[in-house]
Amino acid sequence: MDAQSRGRADEIDPADQWVLNPRTGHYELQLNDSGAQARPRVGSPRRSSAAAPSAPTAPSPGVPKPRRGDAPPGGRRGGRPRKGEGGGGGGRRKKALAVTGGTLAFLLVGGAVAGYLYYDHLNGNLSVTDIAGAGTGGFKKDQAINILVIGTDKRSGAGNEGYGDKDSVGHADTTILFHIAKDRSNATALSIPRDLITNIPDCPTKQPDGTTKTVRGTKGVRFNNSLGQEGRDAGCTMRTVKDLTGIEVDNFMMVDFNAVKTLSTAVGGVPVCLEKAVDDRDSHLKLSQGEHRLEGEQALAFVRTRHAFGNESDLDRIKTQQQFLGSMMREMKSKETLTSPKKFFSLAEAATKSLTVDQGLGSIDKLTDLASELKDIDLKNITFTTLPVLDNPAEPANRKATVVVNQGLADPLLQMIRGDVSLTEVEQKEQAAKEAADADAKAKQDALLQGNRAPAGDVRVSVYNGGGPKGAASTTLNWLQNTKGMGKASNQGNAPSKVSATQLEYAPNQADQARTLADAMGLPVTALKMGTTDAGTKTPMKLTLGPDFQQPGSPLAPPVPQELPKDVQQAQADKAVCAK
């Protein structure tokens, strides 16, 4: 990985013992005292051979912080503070609690299944890169979150030289766009095939000397060329995904081969199931039919295997990787992991050492904030799916190596993700109730539309932009006044909050005005929202333009679909599936 910000920091004293407090659910620093019951540590440290290093949470008041110089397993002996942090005990940063889940960088996003105490030295484990404005600058707590997880095939790191192409700068080999719903009830993990033919846009990239260099875009190439090739960084992959899906990416996380090995080992192995025996000469995976627990090199071989499953394509390998990710997340949430401080600590070390992130996630505190947004998502409400594709028609029938987007299936899937619609049943009851209410409202509006129309000059309406194109309110006002003769219309700029779809709010005694405006704008009855009390003679209606608005007089964009076409591949993270 291209580490741009590594440092050294405080370590912990291996004599410290952290014990789960059943009253608070947190680990507290305690010390054995001659076989007596452990109690909170309040004095000077005493050595105890029985004390086991673990993954603690923040010390309770009155408990002294760990001493410098004593290193935990996998840690570094007491180094100096990172540049700019100051020295001595007074310069210590606060400890931060983070929740992690999944595998690869997914461990810090997908499952959000456990709490860790991250020490200052974990900040030094992270690699941080400047993506030159490719993302939004960071996720927001009150909005949906989109994190791009990139698994690169770069062969850096001990033990990875034997995989071939050892001098490769790496490609976007495994790419997952992880969408977390605004209400944090569900998430969608969208895999993007590496062999997808797409266009790569111009990519500004930050250079080591601080300058910015723009790598020229390329049309009609494999998606995996969006990273590494011609100096492209993860910001270029983010830009390519945005152009391809129409989804704004907030942040990225990137890992290489070592992540699979270290994380699978730290969790104590990942359970997998095979419907048939496997002996793959390329990945060196050799397993019998049935269930296995994989870690280290075997785990990496499993996710790299291409010729042993399905039709030996990258699309079937994606399914196998999704099965592995789901299993890893279930293992992380198992009782054996949740109650093991040792596993917590090992996973914290492995995850942070594996990660390269953008500046918006470039500290343990920021990762903690992200994790806190995800901790309550149930695995059954996390859906894996793959961008639907077709064989590339430009290639001969007997030499199919790349794919193109299947727009008929991809469009509704991407609309659902952009519209923050769950792919699971988490909102099924709420959606059914909404549909019933909409049907009732439509019936009432149909009756209303049969009434009289007001003259255009009598229509009073305030126009707001609640998520439409930039300048939509101003453009609509000019059109209403100059084209439709509605001189009493006014532009109110941005709405107080965004709306999911364009809507016209009006009072019962403004129904004739609403009909006239709806006819002019081409508004469907579902966009009309009638209140319960009459309005004053000079009170305007309220027209709020949403993301479905295109331009004045044009039909609104089709509503976001509420369910996937049956041919779109999907799988839930809570269900175990055997590799075929």
Side-chain angles (χ1 to χ4, degrees):
M1 289 184 271
D2 299 324
Q4 295 186 19
S5 65
R6 291 188 179 276
R8 301 176 64 88
D10 295 354
E11 310 293 354
I12 66 170
D13 189 333
D16 294 341
Q17 183 176 8
W18 297 83
V19 179
L20 180 66
N21 185 331
R23 292 176 300 172
T24 65
H26 296 302
Y27 286 92
E28 296 179 355
L29 188 60
Q30 299 188 347
L31 188 66
N32 288 338
D33 186 9
S34 302
Q37 183 178 0
R39 60 178 179 268
R41 177 175 175 171
V42 294
S44 300
R46 294 167 55 187
R47 291 288 177 185
S48 171
S49 60
S54 57
T57 57
S60 56
V63 178
K65 295 181 180 179
R67 299 196 305 272
R68 298 177 60 86
D70 293 321
R76 292 173 293 198
R77 302 291 295 183
R80 294 171 299 179
R82 291 193 296 171
K83 184 178 181 180
E85 291 184 359
R92 289 197 182 106
R93 292 173 176 243
K94 66 183 181 67
K95 307 302 185 286
L97 179 69
V99 182
T100 68
T103 186
L104 304 179
F106 223 48
L107 280 187
L108 289 163
V109 180
V113 294
Y116 298 93
L117 225 215
Y118 277 91
Y119 292 101
D120 287 343
H121 76 274
L122 295 183
N123 272 315
N125 286 346
L126 291 171
S127 296
V128 184
T129 188
D130 189 334
I131 54 176
T136 62
F139 68 90
K140 305 295 189 297
K141 291 181 178 296
D142 58 347
Q143 297 179 15
I145 301 173
N146 295 303
I147 306 292
L148 191 66
V149 181
I150 307 170
T152 174
D153 59 1
K154 188 175 182 180
R155 268 62 168 168
S156 61
N160 293 326
E161 304 86 353
Y163 294 118
D165 197 16
K166 66 182 180 64
D167 296 322
S168 171
V169 293
H171 303 76
D173 190 58
T174 299
T175 304
I176 299 173
L177 179 60
F178 195 65
H179 171 85
I180 301 99
K182 179 179 179 179
D183 65 3
R184 309 299 188 253
S185 67
N186 64 92
T188 300
L190 176 70
S191 294
I192 300 176
R194 68 172 193 175
D195 295 325
L196 173 68
I197 296 298
T198 189
N199 297 329
I200 300 175
D202 291 347
C203 301
T205 59
K206 283 287 187 178
Q207 303 300 302
D209 61 1
T211 62
T212 299
K213 173 185 176 183
T214 298
V215 181
R216 295 294 300 273
T218 309
K219 294 184 177 181
V221 296
R222 279 180 167 89
F223 173 83
N224 67 351
N225 284 295
S226 65
L227 177 69
Q229 313 311 300
E230 301 181 41
R232 296 186 177 107
D233 61 11
C236 189
T237 306
M238 296 172 73
R239 290 183 169 90
T240 303
V241 168
K242 179 183 176 182
D243 285 1
L244 179 64
T245 65
I247 299 170
E248 191 89 37
V249 181
D250 297 305
N251 304 97
F252 88 91
M253 295 177 172
M254 183 167 65
V255 294
D256 61 15
F257 282 176
N258 277 333
V260 182
K261 295 190 290 187
T262 59
L263 293 175
S264 60
T265 300
V267 80
V270 177
V272 300
C273 173
L274 283 74
E275 284 199 355
K276 62 181 180 180
V278 170
D279 188 357
D280 190 299
R281 66 179 183 277
D282 293 323
S283 69
H284 307 296
L285 180 68
K286 186 173 183 179
L287 295 172
S288 61
Q289 178 186 13
E291 297 181 357
H292 301 269
R293 182 174 287 270
L294 307 182
E295 61 181 74
E297 293 290 347
Q298 268 197 322
L300 178 59
F302 183 82
V303 298
R304 291 185 64 240
T305 294
R306 177 170 182 163
H307 301 294
F309 303 122
N311 62 4
E312 302 186 13
S313 70
D314 184 55
L315 299 179
D316 280 299
R317 176 164 59 177
I318 287 175
K319 294 179 183 178
T320 303
Q321 291 171 344
Q322 291 175 350
Q323 293 162 11
F324 185 87
L325 293 173
S327 182
M328 171 71 85
M329 293 162 70
R330 293 191 298 274
E331 190 67 17
M332 290 283 298
K333 201 167 185 178
S334 68
K335 181 179 179 181
E336 288 75 14
T337 300
L338 291 174
T339 58
S340 172
K342 182 178 181 181
K343 283 189 177 181
F344 282 1
F345 191 85
S346 296
L347 283 164
E349 285 287 340
T352 52
K353 287 179 179 178
S354 300
L355 280 175
T356 297
V357 297
D358 62 275
Q359 292 177 315
L361 291 177
S363 72
I364 299 303
D365 284 344
K366 292 175 181 177
L367 289 171
T368 298
D369 289 341
L370 173 60
S372 68
E373 296 292 304
L374 312 174
K375 61 184 176 61
D376 294 327
I377 300 179
D378 196 299
L379 291 181
K380 69 180 181 181
N381 296 325
I382 298 176
T383 302
F384 291 102
T385 187
T386 303
L387 185 68
V389 294
L390 298 167
D391 286 337
N392 188 352
E395 294 176 336
N398 61 343
R399 287 169 44 190
K400 296 293 185 183
T402 60
V403 293
V404 296
V405 174
N406 182 342
Q407 296 294 163
L409 296 179
D411 286 348
L413 170 60
L414 295 176
Q415 286 181 51
M416 291 179 73
I417 296 175
R418 290 193 295 264
D420 202 28
V421 176
S422 173
L423 302 191
T424 71
E425 296 180 358
V426 66
E427 296 171 340
Q428 189 174 40
K429 293 181 179 179
E430 292 88 342
Q431 184 59 35
K434 180 178 182 300
E435 290 174 355
D438 287 346
D440 182 60
K442 183 179 184 301
K444 293 178 180 178
Q445 296 292 352
D446 282 339
L448 286 172
L449 288 179
Q450 302 306 312
N452 296 325
R453 268 70 174 164
D458 292 345
V459 174
R460 293 180 182 272
V461 61
S462 296
V463 183
Y464 296 82
N465 190 344
K470 185 178 181 180
S474 177
T475 300
T476 300
L477 176 65
N478 291 334
W479 183 81
L480 290 174
Q481 291 180 337
N482 300 322
T483 304
K484 294 300 180 179
M486 298 182 186
K488 296 179 180 178
S490 63
N491 174 14
Q492 299 299 318
N494 291 331
S497 60
K498 292 185 178 181
V499 294
S500 58
T502 297
Q503 61 184 30
L504 173 63
E505 299 172 83
Y506 63 97
N509 63 335
Q510 295 174 323
D512 55 347
Q513 295 183 51
R515 296 183 192 108
T516 300
L517 184 60
D519 289 345
M521 292 286 295
L523 299 177
V525 292
T526 53
L528 307 183
K529 312 295 180 184
M530 187 178 71
T532 57
T533 58
D534 287 344
T537 56
K538 293 187 177 182
T539 301
M541 300 181 293
K542 182 179 179 181
L543 174 63
T544 307
L545 307 175
D548 56 346
F549 177 80
Q550 301 178 74
Q551 61 183 11
S554 297
L556 300 179
V560 175
Q562 298 301 311
E563 61 181 24
L564 279 177
K566 63 179 182 179
D567 293 331
V568 175
Q569 174 263 335
Q570 60 175 310
Q572 273 63 55
D574 66 321
K575 297 177 181 177
V577 180
C578 290
K580 300 180 180 180

